[in-house]
């Protein structure tokens, strides 16, 4: 619990004091705004340590990804590796993805793929590689966005305007941009 401390108050405290400040919170936006270093705890141990943006962009594993709010986590098997073309093919339970080359792995290795809901692209028809047709299950309206839940526990975030322009789609296609895939 942050005890009601605000971003502006913490910024003021940091401005007048060079002393380290230890602050515990679950508010990731607050961490990104005021912290220079972040510790992620899981089961009483430090699971990852570093700059907040680094941890959010590159979680050290599935547990950290879950703790920093990435709901799109898919276990898969490396089906192909091509370092010359900088590509890999990952077979997940319900779909196959092409990603950047995954170093230090072999065909057949089990891995996890993570992707933030805001990094998925939503289309009304197939848009090429890494695009799968999937039924819409649920819609959550938020203050500034809409979260869509698709079959196979795939979550995408859209702006209110983007959702308004697509809400009557007859079919939904989700594109997994290869550059946004995080291999854990």
């Amino acid at each position: 619990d942050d005890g009601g401390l605000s971003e502006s108050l913490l910024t003021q405290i940091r401005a007048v004091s060079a002393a380290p400040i230890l602050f515990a919170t679950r508010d990731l936006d607050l961490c990104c705004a005021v912290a220079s270093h972040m510790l992620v705890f899981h089961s009483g141990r430090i699971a990852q340590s570093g700059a907040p943006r680094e941890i959010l962009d590159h979680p050290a594993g599935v547990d950290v990804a879950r703790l920093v709010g990435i709901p799109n986590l898919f276990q898969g098997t490396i089906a192909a590796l091509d370092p010359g073309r900088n590509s890999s093919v990952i077979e997940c339970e319900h779909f196959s993805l092409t990603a950047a080359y995954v170093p230090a792995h072999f065909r057949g290795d089990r891995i996890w793929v993570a992707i933030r809901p805001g990094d998925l692209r939503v289309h009304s028809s197939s848009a090429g590689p890494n695009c799968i047709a999937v039924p819409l299950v649920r819609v959550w309206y938020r203050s500034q966005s809409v979260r869509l839940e698709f079959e196979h526990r795939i979550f995408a975030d859209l702006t209110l305007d983007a959702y308004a322009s697509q809400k009557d789609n007859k079919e939904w296609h989700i594109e997994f941009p290869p550059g946004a895939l995080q291999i854990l």
Side-chain angles (χ1 to χ4, degrees), residues 9 13 17 19-20 32 39 42 45 47 58 63 71 76 79 92 100 103 108 113 116 119 123 129 138 144 152 157:
L9 179 59
I13 292 170
S17 174
C32 286
L39 300 173
H42 181 261
R45 295 199 136 122
H58 305 285
D63 291 330
C92 298
V113 177
R116 295 187 169 288
D119 291 336
H123 306 283
R138 190 175 352 183
Q144 301 297 316
H152 313 306
D157 289 344

Side-chain angles (χ1 to χ4, degrees), residues 2 16 54 61 64 80 84-85 104 112 121-122 124 131 135 161-162 184:
D2 62 21
V16 298
E54 178 65 23
V64 174
R85 291 192 173 139
W112 285 87
R121 296 186 185 131
V122 179
S124 60
C131 195
D161 290 341
L184 308 175

Side-chain angles (χ1 to χ4, degrees), residues 16-101:
V16 298
S17 174
I21 300 169
L22 178 61
F23 182 64
T25 184
R26 293 181 181 181
D27 185 338
L28 294 173
D29 291 331
L30 187 59
C31 285
C32 286
V34 300
S36 58
H37 196 84
M38 184 166 101
L39 300 173
V40 177
F41 284 87
H42 181 261
S43 298
R45 295 199 136 122
I46 297 173
Q48 190 168 353
S49 171
R53 190 75 258 155
E54 178 65 23
I55 291 172
L56 294 174
D57 291 342
H58 305 285
V62 174
D63 291 330
V64 174
R66 284 185 179 121
L67 288 168
V68 298
I70 301 175
N72 293 317
L73 295 164
F74 309 101
Q75 192 168 36
T77 302
I78 297 176
L81 291 167
D82 188 342
R85 291 192 173 139
N86 188 29
S87 70
S88 302
V89 175
I90 302 163
E91 295 290 338
C92 298
E93 183 178 357
H94 301 286
F95 49 86
S96 177
L97 298 172
T98 299
Y101 176 70

